[in-house]
Amino acid sequence: MDKKIAFFDIDGTLINVPTGLMSPTEETIRALNQFQAQGNLIFVATSRGVLPFQADDLHFDGFVGEDGHYIVYDGQVLVNDLFTADEVRRLIEVFQKYDGRCMYHSHQNSWCDCWEDEYIQRHRKAFSHTTEKPANLIEKLDADSMDLIACCVMFKNVEDLRGAYAALDDMCTMVAYETGIIRMDVYRKGFKKGTGVQYMYERLGIPRENTYAFGDGINDIEMFELVGHGIAMGNAIDELKAVAETVTDDVTDNGVAHYFEKYLLE
């Protein structure tokens, strides 16, 4: 049997922080374990830099993180695309100009000089289910000491977001969200989630027709276009459902597990 590979977004796909689903369901874990036992691979594909959950009985074969800018397979780091100090200085200047509230991230630390800001707190609550200050937070920005791989910047309005986007377009890869919490994820110019996924399955020699991706958001559109089978969650945005091969059930109704049980498990 030809080896298959499946890539999974996290938020809204494997977990759902707003509803309190903080780790994959037991049914999903069983399905993914069975898929692996059949000789296949499972990867995370996310804008996050680390897994936000720990499941002792679920072990991913690889990690396409930071929307393709941090890629790990079999314990080996294949891509680790960090900003230079000069690039960090430019980010700080642009975000100040457009009134952006930013959380900067490395693999070990986070930086934010406006931690109590309401926009920062709203984002933290939405994606971490807490407003507690992270233990690794540094509240002074010093470009020369920030080994930065990504940042997430919040804006009061779409106009400021678009201004910052245009100012950084030559230097950065960005994923903008103009509804809900107005924000953008910012990385060095290079891979996106979709091209990071493509890089990984091509490196492993797995044909496109044996590649699967599960997601729910706008940053999953390119990923769906570059794999053989794009599966949107029932709770996905309409734009993603429009390019999906099929739509499964909601994340809170075991949508991933139900697809595997129907199409991929022997």
Side-chain angles (χ1 to χ4, degrees):
M1 183 186 71
D2 291 337
K3 187 183 292 293
K4 297 179 175 66
I5 186 169
F7 298 90
F8 302 90
D9 174 53
I10 293 179
D11 297 277
T13 302
L14 291 178
I15 68 173
N16 196 41
V17 174
T19 63
L21 180 64
M22 304 302 291
S23 63
T25 64
E26 291 183 7
E27 188 172 351
T28 296
I29 291 172
R30 282 196 301 270
L32 299 193
N33 282 336
Q34 187 175 341
F35 183 69
Q36 284 179 304
Q38 293 173 191
N40 304 305
L41 301 174
I42 60 172
F43 272 64
V44 168
T46 179
S47 60
R48 291 181 182 263
V50 296
L51 277 177
F53 60 83
Q54 185 172 5
D56 293 336
D57 46 357
L58 178 61
H59 303 284
F60 290 96
D61 297 290
F63 185 82
V64 179
E66 306 289 8
D67 275 339
H69 291 262
Y70 180 60
I71 302 177
V72 180
Y73 172 61
D74 198 24
Q76 179 184 1
V77 177
L78 304 179
V79 176
N80 186 29
D81 200 6
L82 303 180
F83 285 97
T84 67
D86 284 343
E87 289 169 338
V88 174
R89 275 187 278 272
R90 183 172 169 192
L91 291 175
I92 293 171
E93 291 172 1
V94 168
F95 297 153
Q96 288 176 343
K97 178 179 179 180
Y98 290 97
D99 199 22
R101 281 79 163 177
C102 191
M103 285 285 295
Y104 302 85
H105 301 285
S106 72
H107 297 303
Q108 294 80 31
N109 297 307
S110 297
W111 291 265
C112 181
D113 62 352
C114 55
W115 173 253
E116 300 298 333
D117 181 85
E118 63 175 305
Y119 294 90
I120 295 289
Q121 294 299 308
R122 283 177 58 203
H123 184 271
R124 177 78 172 162
K125 180 70 172 178
F127 289 93
S128 300
H129 209 52
T130 180
T131 56
E132 186 175 329
K133 184 181 294 186
N136 66 347
L137 181 70
I138 299 170
E139 296 187 74
K140 180 180 179 180
L141 305 183
D142 176 12
D144 291 316
S145 64
M146 295 166 67
D147 50 343
L148 187 68
I149 191 167
C151 55
C152 181
V153 56
M154 275 63 70
F155 299 91
K156 288 183 177 180
N157 55 64
V158 171
E159 290 72 27
D160 285 339
L161 179 149
R162 291 177 178 174
Y165 191 108
L168 294 170
D169 192 38
D170 65 313
M171 186 182 86
C172 298
T173 293
M174 294 165 283
V175 182
Y177 301 85
E178 295 190 354
T179 60
I181 300 174
I182 299 169
R183 68 193 190 279
M184 62 184 184
D185 298 326
V186 183
Y187 312 93
R188 293 192 81 213
K189 203 75 164 180
F191 280 143
K192 295 182 180 179
K193 182 191 283 193
T195 49
V197 161
Q198 182 183 40
Y199 161 83
M200 196 65 249
Y201 71 71
E202 288 181 347
R203 181 185 176 96
L204 294 170
I206 297 174
R208 178 172 173 169
E209 59 265 27
N210 288 347
T211 62
Y212 299 77
F214 295 77
D216 73 304
I218 195 167
N219 66 333
D220 296 316
I221 291 176
E222 182 194 65
M223 178 169 68
F224 278 25
E225 293 171 342
L226 294 176
V227 298
H229 310 274
I231 301 94
M233 305 304 292
N235 49 280
I237 61 172
D238 291 339
E239 294 92 331
L240 187 66
K241 290 178 179 178
V243 300
E245 178 180 270
T246 189
V247 178
T248 189
D249 296 318
D250 285 14
V251 58
T252 52
D253 192 29
N254 289 306
V256 168
H258 291 169
Y259 181 90
F260 271 79
E261 291 161 359
K262 187 173 183 179
Y263 296 107
L264 294 175
L265 300 183
E266 299 173 353

